[in-house]
Amino acid sequence: MKQTTTKIMLLCLAAAAAVLSAVRFFQYMSLMDFSTGYYLEGAETGGLLIYILMAVMAAVFVAAAVFAKKKDNTAFSVSSDGMGTNATRVLGFSEVIGGGLILIPVFEETFTVQSIGMIVAAAAFIVSGFAQLGHIVPPAYTGHLKLLCAVYMLLRTMNLFGSDLTIINHSDNLITLIAYVFATAFAASVSRFYSRSETKKSRTREIVTAGLAFITSCTHVIPKLLAYAFGGSVTAGMSNINCDAAATAVMSAAFLVIVFCTKKTKDIVPLADDDESPKKKKTKETETA
């Protein structure tokens, strides 16, 4: 059953990335005016399709995750210190790549306060990545570094939300904003995985946020790559790929592939379930006594 549910989950992700990328690429080629960032006159309805499909694909993935959990897929129970030999190294390599991607704009744009945040976040990912490359088990402090990265993503989300989304690159910025939201949630939730401070419900959050971060970031990154490769002069004026979204796509993909495909040698040892209400905890303590 593990192999079946694993295939379902990974196929959901691959299908979501493929469908959304194809639709977005079509929008780039036929429906968008890159001088303003708006859809062409009369194409607004077609422009809504990408957001509807993103919501549908996200819902399908969440449903698949619920199904996989009910079927006891080991991805929901494998501990970060009980994975296959090379699992930690793959995760570490993805973080080194992610940190490098986040750092790219520092060398391409004017140095600002945001550049400092990029340097700090990139350093956190790169340090975490190399720490994992040197260990079979992720050091617990790599989870703490993820919280620092989550703060960075949150600040980037707030900055983009506070900018003028209605004038320049409106559609691109809206998808990037959605990707930032889920990237923040992913970085925050996955910190428990690395620090081994998980509860009974935290792994489900980690997998769901990783999937949503992957889907939304790929919706931004892959169509732009296709446009650069095949768009020609039609995409002149199109905004660049957001490096934070690209980093999120790489790291979330690595996390999902590893937790679903790794060999499990140890189960999660959950902390006291902090998702329970104080009343429920008190009731359980009374029954135990």
Side-chain angles (χ1 to χ4, degrees), residues 94-95 97-99 101-102 125 149 152-153 176 178-187 209-218 220-221 242-256:
S94 74
E95 291 183 14
I97 294 175
L101 289 170
I102 290 174
F125 277 125
C149 298
Y152 165 75
M153 290 296 184
T176 304
I178 297 170
Y180 270 145
V181 169
F182 288 115
T184 302
F186 166 59
T209 56
L212 298 182
F214 175 79
I215 290 170
T216 53
S217 58
C218 283
H220 169 82
V221 175
N242 182 281
C243 292
D244 297 324
T248 300
V250 171
M251 292 184 286
S252 59
F255 174 78
L256 289 164

mmCIF file of all heavy atoms in Angstrom, residues 94-95 97-99 101-102 125 149 152-153 176 178-187 209-218 220-221 242-256:
data_model
loop_
_atom_site.group_PDB
_atom_site.id
_atom_site.type_symbol
_atom_site.label_atom_id
_atom_site.label_comp_id
_atom_site.label_asym_id
_atom_site.label_seq_id
_atom_site.Cartn_x
_atom_site.Cartn_y
_atom_site.Cartn_z
ATOM 1 N N SER A 94 19.896 19.985 -1.779
ATOM 2 C CA SER A 94 18.815 20.857 -2.256
ATOM 3 C C SER A 94 18.857 22.210 -1.558
ATOM 4 O O SER A 94 18.549 23.243 -2.163
ATOM 5 C CB SER A 94 17.452 20.187 -2.036
ATOM 6 O OG SER A 94 17.081 20.200 -0.668
ATOM 7 N N GLU A 95 19.255 22.222 -0.296
ATOM 8 C CA GLU A 95 19.319 23.483 0.442
ATOM 9 C C GLU A 95 20.507 24.336 0.010
ATOM 10 O O GLU A 95 20.420 25.567 -0.004
ATOM 11 C CB GLU A 95 19.361 23.210 1.942
ATOM 12 C CG GLU A 95 18.042 22.663 2.467
ATOM 13 C CD GLU A 95 18.040 22.463 3.968
ATOM 14 O OE1 GLU A 95 18.956 22.982 4.642
ATOM 15 O OE2 GLU A 95 17.130 21.784 4.476
ATOM 16 N N ILE A 97 21.670 24.366 -3.026
ATOM 17 C CA ILE A 97 21.192 24.945 -4.292
ATOM 18 C C ILE A 97 20.208 26.075 -4.013
ATOM 19 O O ILE A 97 20.285 27.155 -4.619
ATOM 20 C CB ILE A 97 20.521 23.861 -5.158
ATOM 21 C CG1 ILE A 97 21.551 22.824 -5.607
ATOM 22 C CG2 ILE A 97 19.838 24.495 -6.374
ATOM 23 C CD1 ILE A 97 20.954 21.662 -6.372
ATOM 24 N N GLY A 98 19.267 25.833 -3.080
ATOM 25 C CA GLY A 98 18.283 26.862 -2.745
ATOM 26 C C GLY A 98 18.927 28.125 -2.220
ATOM 27 O O GLY A 98 18.550 29.239 -2.608
ATOM 28 N N GLY A 99 19.911 27.974 -1.344
ATOM 29 C CA GLY A 99 20.616 29.141 -0.819
ATOM 30 C C GLY A 99 21.332 29.911 -1.916
ATOM 31 O O GLY A 99 21.331 31.152 -1.928
ATOM 32 N N LEU A 101 20.449 30.053 -5.076
ATOM 33 C CA LEU A 101 19.440 30.745 -5.882
ATOM 34 C C LEU A 101 18.971 32.031 -5.206
ATOM 35 O O LEU A 101 18.806 33.070 -5.859
ATOM 36 C CB LEU A 101 18.248 29.815 -6.129
ATOM 37 C CG LEU A 101 18.485 28.643 -7.084
ATOM 38 C CD1 LEU A 101 17.307 27.673 -7.051
ATOM 39 C CD2 LEU A 101 18.707 29.148 -8.510
ATOM 40 N N ILE A 102 18.752 31.974 -3.893
ATOM 41 C CA ILE A 102 18.299 33.163 -3.157
ATOM 42 C C ILE A 102 19.339 34.270 -3.230
ATOM 43 O O ILE A 102 19.004 35.458 -3.235
ATOM 44 C CB ILE A 102 18.004 32.785 -1.689
ATOM 45 C CG1 ILE A 102 16.749 31.911 -1.618
ATOM 46 C CG2 ILE A 102 17.820 34.033 -0.819
ATOM 47 C CD1 ILE A 102 16.452 31.365 -0.240
ATOM 48 N N PHE A 125 20.397 28.689 4.738
ATOM 49 C CA PHE A 125 20.159 27.485 3.937
ATOM 50 C C PHE A 125 21.471 26.783 3.591
ATOM 51 O O PHE A 125 21.562 25.541 3.638
ATOM 52 C CB PHE A 125 19.415 27.838 2.649
ATOM 53 C CG PHE A 125 17.927 27.944 2.810
ATOM 54 C CD1 PHE A 125 17.250 29.096 2.434
ATOM 55 C CD2 PHE A 125 17.191 26.887 3.334
ATOM 56 C CE1 PHE A 125 15.863 29.196 2.576
ATOM 57 C CE2 PHE A 125 15.815 26.975 3.475
ATOM 58 C CZ PHE A 125 15.147 28.130 3.099
ATOM 59 N N CYS A 149 14.714 31.199 8.135
ATOM 60 C CA CYS A 149 14.331 31.295 6.722
ATOM 61 C C CYS A 149 12.840 31.594 6.573
ATOM 62 O O CYS A 149 12.428 32.297 5.648
ATOM 63 C CB CYS A 149 14.682 30.003 5.998
ATOM 64 S SG CYS A 149 16.461 29.632 5.994
ATOM 65 N N TYR A 152 12.360 35.223 6.962
ATOM 66 C CA TYR A 152 12.747 35.897 5.717
ATOM 67 C C TYR A 152 11.618 35.837 4.692
ATOM 68 O O TYR A 152 11.266 36.849 4.069
ATOM 69 C CB TYR A 152 14.011 35.250 5.156
ATOM 70 C CG TYR A 152 14.286 35.610 3.705
ATOM 71 C CD1 TYR A 152 14.783 36.859 3.371
ATOM 72 C CD2 TYR A 152 14.044 34.686 2.687
ATOM 73 C CE1 TYR A 152 15.024 37.194 2.036
ATOM 74 C CE2 TYR A 152 14.293 35.008 1.366
ATOM 75 C CZ TYR A 152 14.783 36.262 1.044
ATOM 76 O OH TYR A 152 15.018 36.585 -0.270
ATOM 77 N N MET A 153 11.053 34.638 4.504
ATOM 78 C CA MET A 153 9.961 34.482 3.541
ATOM 79 C C MET A 153 8.746 35.312 3.947
ATOM 80 O O MET A 153 8.052 35.882 3.096
ATOM 81 C CB MET A 153 9.571 33.005 3.422
ATOM 82 C CG MET A 153 10.601 32.141 2.729
ATOM 83 S SD MET A 153 10.836 32.623 0.993
ATOM 84 C CE MET A 153 11.994 31.340 0.456
ATOM 85 N N THR A 176 3.342 35.023 -7.498
ATOM 86 C CA THR A 176 4.514 35.035 -6.625
ATOM 87 C C THR A 176 4.106 35.220 -5.166
ATOM 88 O O THR A 176 4.664 34.577 -4.271
ATOM 89 C CB THR A 176 5.481 36.161 -7.030
ATOM 90 O OG1 THR A 176 5.840 36.005 -8.406
ATOM 91 C CG2 THR A 176 6.744 36.127 -6.181
ATOM 92 N N ILE A 178 1.292 34.287 -3.742
ATOM 93 C CA ILE A 178 0.735 33.009 -3.279
ATOM 94 C C ILE A 178 1.870 32.025 -2.982
ATOM 95 O O ILE A 178 1.848 31.305 -1.971
ATOM 96 C CB ILE A 178 -0.230 32.427 -4.328
ATOM 97 C CG1 ILE A 178 -1.432 33.353 -4.525
ATOM 98 C CG2 ILE A 178 -0.708 31.038 -3.905
ATOM 99 C CD1 ILE A 178 -2.312 32.981 -5.707
ATOM 100 N N ALA A 179 2.869 32.004 -3.855
ATOM 101 C CA ALA A 179 4.012 31.104 -3.646
ATOM 102 C C ALA A 179 4.761 31.467 -2.374
ATOM 103 O O ALA A 179 5.200 30.587 -1.620
ATOM 104 C CB ALA A 179 4.948 31.173 -4.851
ATOM 105 N N TYR A 180 4.911 32.765 -2.099
ATOM 106 C CA TYR A 180 5.586 33.213 -0.877
ATOM 107 C C TYR A 180 4.828 32.754 0.376
ATOM 108 O O TYR A 180 5.434 32.342 1.366
ATOM 109 C CB TYR A 180 5.674 34.736 -0.853
ATOM 110 C CG TYR A 180 6.920 35.312 -1.484
ATOM 111 C CD1 TYR A 180 6.878 36.519 -2.172
ATOM 112 C CD2 TYR A 180 8.144 34.667 -1.378
ATOM 113 C CE1 TYR A 180 8.014 37.061 -2.746
ATOM 114 C CE2 TYR A 180 9.285 35.198 -1.947
ATOM 115 C CZ TYR A 180 9.215 36.402 -2.633
ATOM 116 O OH TYR A 180 10.350 36.939 -3.196
ATOM 117 N N VAL A 181 3.508 32.853 0.332
ATOM 118 C CA VAL A 181 2.699 32.458 1.492
ATOM 119 C C VAL A 181 2.957 31.002 1.854
ATOM 120 O O VAL A 181 3.197 30.652 3.021
ATOM 121 C CB VAL A 181 1.200 32.696 1.219
ATOM 122 C CG1 VAL A 181 0.342 32.039 2.306
ATOM 123 C CG2 VAL A 181 0.898 34.184 1.146
ATOM 124 N N PHE A 182 2.927 30.130 0.846
ATOM 125 C CA PHE A 182 3.124 28.710 1.122
ATOM 126 C C PHE A 182 4.592 28.374 1.386
ATOM 127 O O PHE A 182 4.887 27.421 2.112
ATOM 128 C CB PHE A 182 2.562 27.873 -0.021
ATOM 129 C CG PHE A 182 1.066 27.861 -0.068
ATOM 130 C CD1 PHE A 182 0.381 28.423 -1.133
ATOM 131 C CD2 PHE A 182 0.325 27.327 0.980
ATOM 132 C CE1 PHE A 182 -1.004 28.435 -1.167
ATOM 133 C CE2 PHE A 182 -1.064 27.335 0.954
ATOM 134 C CZ PHE A 182 -1.731 27.887 -0.115
ATOM 135 N N ALA A 183 5.516 29.160 0.821
ATOM 136 C CA ALA A 183 6.934 28.957 1.127
ATOM 137 C C ALA A 183 7.195 29.262 2.600
ATOM 138 O O ALA A 183 7.967 28.556 3.272
ATOM 139 C CB ALA A 183 7.792 29.853 0.251
ATOM 140 N N THR A 184 6.547 30.314 3.110
ATOM 141 C CA THR A 184 6.680 30.662 4.533
ATOM 142 C C THR A 184 6.137 29.545 5.415
ATOM 143 O O THR A 184 6.782 29.121 6.385
ATOM 144 C CB THR A 184 5.912 31.962 4.832
ATOM 145 O OG1 THR A 184 6.407 33.017 3.999
ATOM 146 C CG2 THR A 184 6.078 32.365 6.298
ATOM 147 N N ALA A 185 4.954 29.039 5.059
ATOM 148 C CA ALA A 185 4.342 27.957 5.832
ATOM 149 C C ALA A 185 5.195 26.690 5.775
ATOM 150 O O ALA A 185 5.355 25.982 6.785
ATOM 151 C CB ALA A 185 2.936 27.673 5.310
ATOM 152 N N PHE A 186 5.759 26.403 4.622
ATOM 153 C CA PHE A 186 6.599 25.217 4.460
ATOM 154 C C PHE A 186 7.853 25.314 5.325
ATOM 155 O O PHE A 186 8.196 24.371 6.060
ATOM 156 C CB PHE A 186 6.973 25.053 2.985
ATOM 157 C CG PHE A 186 8.079 24.073 2.732
ATOM 158 C CD1 PHE A 186 7.968 22.748 3.125
ATOM 159 C CD2 PHE A 186 9.239 24.481 2.079
ATOM 160 C CE1 PHE A 186 8.992 21.837 2.880
ATOM 161 C CE2 PHE A 186 10.265 23.584 1.833
ATOM 162 C CZ PHE A 186 10.145 22.260 2.241
ATOM 163 N N ALA A 187 8.553 26.447 5.253
ATOM 164 C CA ALA A 187 9.785 26.611 6.031
ATOM 165 C C ALA A 187 9.511 26.522 7.527
ATOM 166 O O ALA A 187 10.304 25.937 8.280
ATOM 167 C CB ALA A 187 10.445 27.948 5.682
ATOM 168 N N THR A 209 2.015 21.497 3.380
ATOM 169 C CA THR A 209 2.621 22.793 3.043
ATOM 170 C C THR A 209 3.726 22.637 2.004
ATOM 171 O O THR A 209 3.895 23.492 1.128
ATOM 172 C CB THR A 209 3.179 23.498 4.295
ATOM 173 O OG1 THR A 209 4.113 22.637 4.959
ATOM 174 C CG2 THR A 209 2.054 23.864 5.251
ATOM 175 N N ALA A 210 4.476 21.524 2.066
ATOM 176 C CA ALA A 210 5.508 21.282 1.057
ATOM 177 C C ALA A 210 4.877 21.105 -0.315
ATOM 178 O O ALA A 210 5.367 21.648 -1.318
ATOM 179 C CB ALA A 210 6.326 20.050 1.430
ATOM 180 N N GLY A 211 3.777 20.347 -0.378
ATOM 181 C CA GLY A 211 3.093 20.139 -1.648
ATOM 182 C C GLY A 211 2.537 21.422 -2.229
ATOM 183 O O GLY A 211 2.682 21.700 -3.429
ATOM 184 N N LEU A 212 1.911 22.227 -1.382
ATOM 185 C CA LEU A 212 1.345 23.490 -1.856
ATOM 186 C C LEU A 212 2.438 24.476 -2.261
ATOM 187 O O LEU A 212 2.290 25.233 -3.222
ATOM 188 C CB LEU A 212 0.446 24.093 -0.778
ATOM 189 C CG LEU A 212 -0.773 23.235 -0.393
ATOM 190 C CD1 LEU A 212 -1.624 23.943 0.655
ATOM 191 C CD2 LEU A 212 -1.615 22.892 -1.611
ATOM 192 N N ALA A 213 3.547 24.468 -1.512
ATOM 193 C CA ALA A 213 4.678 25.327 -1.882
ATOM 194 C C ALA A 213 5.254 24.899 -3.232
ATOM 195 O O ALA A 213 5.597 25.740 -4.066
ATOM 196 C CB ALA A 213 5.758 25.266 -0.801
ATOM 197 N N PHE A 214 5.343 23.587 -3.446
ATOM 198 C CA PHE A 214 5.860 23.073 -4.723
ATOM 199 C C PHE A 214 4.944 23.455 -5.873
ATOM 200 O O PHE A 214 5.404 23.941 -6.911
ATOM 201 C CB PHE A 214 6.005 21.550 -4.642
ATOM 202 C CG PHE A 214 6.414 20.914 -5.936
ATOM 203 C CD1 PHE A 214 7.738 20.937 -6.343
ATOM 204 C CD2 PHE A 214 5.477 20.292 -6.760
ATOM 205 C CE1 PHE A 214 8.119 20.351 -7.554
ATOM 206 C CE2 PHE A 214 5.848 19.708 -7.959
ATOM 207 C CZ PHE A 214 7.179 19.737 -8.354
ATOM 208 N N ILE A 215 3.646 23.237 -5.701
ATOM 209 C CA ILE A 215 2.690 23.520 -6.775
ATOM 210 C C ILE A 215 2.698 24.993 -7.159
ATOM 211 O O ILE A 215 2.767 25.344 -8.350
ATOM 212 C CB ILE A 215 1.273 23.083 -6.345
ATOM 213 C CG1 ILE A 215 1.179 21.550 -6.294
ATOM 214 C CG2 ILE A 215 0.211 23.632 -7.308
ATOM 215 C CD1 ILE A 215 -0.092 21.025 -5.664
ATOM 216 N N THR A 216 2.647 25.875 -6.161
ATOM 217 C CA THR A 216 2.566 27.313 -6.462
ATOM 218 C C THR A 216 3.879 27.864 -7.002
ATOM 219 O O THR A 216 3.877 28.709 -7.903
ATOM 220 C CB THR A 216 2.148 28.090 -5.205
ATOM 221 O OG1 THR A 216 3.028 27.762 -4.105
ATOM 222 C CG2 THR A 216 0.721 27.755 -4.795
ATOM 223 N N SER A 217 5.002 27.390 -6.476
ATOM 224 C CA SER A 217 6.284 27.893 -6.981
ATOM 225 C C SER A 217 6.556 27.389 -8.397
ATOM 226 O O SER A 217 7.087 28.130 -9.238
ATOM 227 C CB SER A 217 7.428 27.503 -6.037
ATOM 228 O OG SER A 217 7.495 26.101 -5.865
ATOM 229 N N CYS A 218 6.166 26.144 -8.684
ATOM 230 C CA CYS A 218 6.341 25.624 -10.049
ATOM 231 C C CYS A 218 5.461 26.361 -11.050
ATOM 232 O O CYS A 218 5.838 26.520 -12.210
ATOM 233 C CB CYS A 218 6.022 24.134 -10.083
ATOM 234 S SG CYS A 218 7.338 23.089 -9.413
ATOM 235 N N HIS A 220 4.968 29.377 -11.104
ATOM 236 C CA HIS A 220 5.716 30.593 -11.454
ATOM 237 C C HIS A 220 6.968 30.258 -12.277
ATOM 238 O O HIS A 220 7.234 30.893 -13.294
ATOM 239 C CB HIS A 220 6.129 31.335 -10.185
ATOM 240 C CG HIS A 220 7.105 32.444 -10.427
ATOM 241 N ND1 HIS A 220 6.721 33.702 -10.844
ATOM 242 C CD2 HIS A 220 8.464 32.475 -10.342
ATOM 243 C CE1 HIS A 220 7.797 34.466 -10.998
ATOM 244 N NE2 HIS A 220 8.867 33.748 -10.694
ATOM 245 N N VAL A 221 7.714 29.246 -11.837
ATOM 246 C CA VAL A 221 9.050 29.008 -12.395
ATOM 247 C C VAL A 221 9.025 28.308 -13.753
ATOM 248 O O VAL A 221 9.638 28.783 -14.720
ATOM 249 C CB VAL A 221 9.901 28.183 -11.403
ATOM 250 C CG1 VAL A 221 11.248 27.821 -12.031
ATOM 251 C CG2 VAL A 221 10.116 28.968 -10.111
ATOM 252 N N ASN A 242 11.472 34.630 -10.199
ATOM 253 C CA ASN A 242 11.725 34.973 -8.803
ATOM 254 C C ASN A 242 12.608 33.889 -8.186
ATOM 255 O O ASN A 242 12.246 32.710 -8.167
ATOM 256 C CB ASN A 242 10.398 35.073 -8.050
ATOM 257 C CG ASN A 242 10.588 35.475 -6.612
ATOM 258 O OD1 ASN A 242 10.934 34.664 -5.776
ATOM 259 N ND2 ASN A 242 10.352 36.748 -6.324
ATOM 260 N N CYS A 243 13.767 34.275 -7.684
ATOM 261 C CA CYS A 243 14.740 33.300 -7.183
ATOM 262 C C CYS A 243 14.266 32.618 -5.905
ATOM 263 O O CYS A 243 14.616 31.448 -5.650
ATOM 264 C CB CYS A 243 16.080 33.985 -6.942
ATOM 265 S SG CYS A 243 16.887 34.519 -8.473
ATOM 266 N N ASP A 244 13.488 33.307 -5.079
ATOM 267 C CA ASP A 244 12.949 32.678 -3.871
ATOM 268 C C ASP A 244 11.994 31.549 -4.240
ATOM 269 O O ASP A 244 11.983 30.482 -3.607
ATOM 270 C CB ASP A 244 12.217 33.709 -3.012
ATOM 271 C CG ASP A 244 13.140 34.796 -2.498
ATOM 272 O OD1 ASP A 244 14.297 34.480 -2.194
ATOM 273 O OD2 ASP A 244 12.707 35.958 -2.404
ATOM 274 N N ALA A 245 11.161 31.789 -5.264
ATOM 275 C CA ALA A 245 10.230 30.755 -5.722
ATOM 276 C C ALA A 245 10.991 29.569 -6.306
ATOM 277 O O ALA A 245 10.615 28.407 -6.082
ATOM 278 C CB ALA A 245 9.267 31.328 -6.754
ATOM 279 N N ALA A 246 12.064 29.852 -7.045
ATOM 280 C CA ALA A 246 12.869 28.770 -7.617
ATOM 281 C C ALA A 246 13.503 27.926 -6.509
ATOM 282 O O ALA A 246 13.523 26.691 -6.581
ATOM 283 C CB ALA A 246 13.947 29.350 -8.528
ATOM 284 N N ALA A 247 14.008 28.598 -5.471
ATOM 285 C CA ALA A 247 14.609 27.888 -4.341
ATOM 286 C C ALA A 247 13.572 27.029 -3.629
ATOM 287 O O ALA A 247 13.841 25.880 -3.247
ATOM 288 C CB ALA A 247 15.229 28.889 -3.370
ATOM 289 N N THR A 248 12.381 27.575 -3.462
ATOM 290 C CA THR A 248 11.303 26.826 -2.809
ATOM 291 C C THR A 248 10.930 25.594 -3.607
ATOM 292 O O THR A 248 10.688 24.515 -3.042
ATOM 293 C CB THR A 248 10.065 27.726 -2.625
ATOM 294 O OG1 THR A 248 10.411 28.846 -1.806
ATOM 295 C CG2 THR A 248 8.921 26.966 -1.969
ATOM 296 N N ALA A 249 10.862 25.719 -4.928
ATOM 297 C CA ALA A 249 10.526 24.580 -5.782
ATOM 298 C C ALA A 249 11.536 23.453 -5.607
ATOM 299 O O ALA A 249 11.163 22.274 -5.481
ATOM 300 C CB ALA A 249 10.465 25.022 -7.243
ATOM 301 N N VAL A 250 12.813 23.789 -5.574
ATOM 302 C CA VAL A 250 13.866 22.773 -5.437
ATOM 303 C C VAL A 250 13.789 22.088 -4.080
ATOM 304 O O VAL A 250 13.801 20.851 -3.980
ATOM 305 C CB VAL A 250 15.259 23.419 -5.630
ATOM 306 C CG1 VAL A 250 16.362 22.429 -5.270
ATOM 307 C CG2 VAL A 250 15.430 23.900 -7.070
ATOM 308 N N MET A 251 13.685 22.874 -3.009
ATOM 309 C CA MET A 251 13.733 22.298 -1.660
ATOM 310 C C MET A 251 12.465 21.536 -1.302
ATOM 311 O O MET A 251 12.521 20.488 -0.642
ATOM 312 C CB MET A 251 14.016 23.405 -0.642
ATOM 313 C CG MET A 251 15.418 23.975 -0.771
ATOM 314 S SD MET A 251 15.833 25.218 0.491
ATOM 315 C CE MET A 251 14.858 26.623 -0.120
ATOM 316 N N SER A 252 11.317 22.038 -1.715
ATOM 317 C CA SER A 252 10.069 21.332 -1.418
ATOM 318 C C SER A 252 9.999 20.024 -2.192
ATOM 319 O O SER A 252 9.533 19.002 -1.672
ATOM 320 C CB SER A 252 8.860 22.214 -1.741
ATOM 321 O OG SER A 252 8.843 22.613 -3.104
ATOM 322 N N ALA A 253 10.476 20.030 -3.443
ATOM 323 C CA ALA A 253 10.494 18.801 -4.238
ATOM 324 C C ALA A 253 11.390 17.755 -3.585
ATOM 325 O O ALA A 253 11.017 16.577 -3.473
ATOM 326 C CB ALA A 253 10.972 19.095 -5.654
ATOM 327 N N ALA A 254 12.572 18.170 -3.139
ATOM 328 C CA ALA A 254 13.496 17.239 -2.492
ATOM 329 C C ALA A 254 12.891 16.665 -1.215
ATOM 330 O O ALA A 254 12.983 15.456 -0.956
ATOM 331 C CB ALA A 254 14.815 17.952 -2.176
ATOM 332 N N PHE A 255 12.253 17.513 -0.421
ATOM 333 C CA PHE A 255 11.648 17.048 0.833
ATOM 334 C C PHE A 255 10.566 16.006 0.562
ATOM 335 O O PHE A 255 10.530 14.943 1.206
ATOM 336 C CB PHE A 255 11.053 18.237 1.587
ATOM 337 C CG PHE A 255 10.281 17.845 2.817
ATOM 338 C CD1 PHE A 255 10.935 17.505 3.991
ATOM 339 C CD2 PHE A 255 8.896 17.796 2.796
ATOM 340 C CE1 PHE A 255 10.223 17.122 5.126
ATOM 341 C CE2 PHE A 255 8.175 17.414 3.914
ATOM 342 C CZ PHE A 255 8.845 17.083 5.089
ATOM 343 N N LEU A 256 9.698 16.287 -0.397
ATOM 344 C CA LEU A 256 8.591 15.365 -0.687
ATOM 345 C C LEU A 256 9.088 14.037 -1.244
ATOM 346 O O LEU A 256 8.615 12.969 -0.847
ATOM 347 C CB LEU A 256 7.621 16.026 -1.658
ATOM 348 C CG LEU A 256 6.792 17.165 -1.068
ATOM 349 C CD1 LEU A 256 6.170 18.010 -2.164
ATOM 350 C CD2 LEU A 256 5.716 16.624 -0.137
#
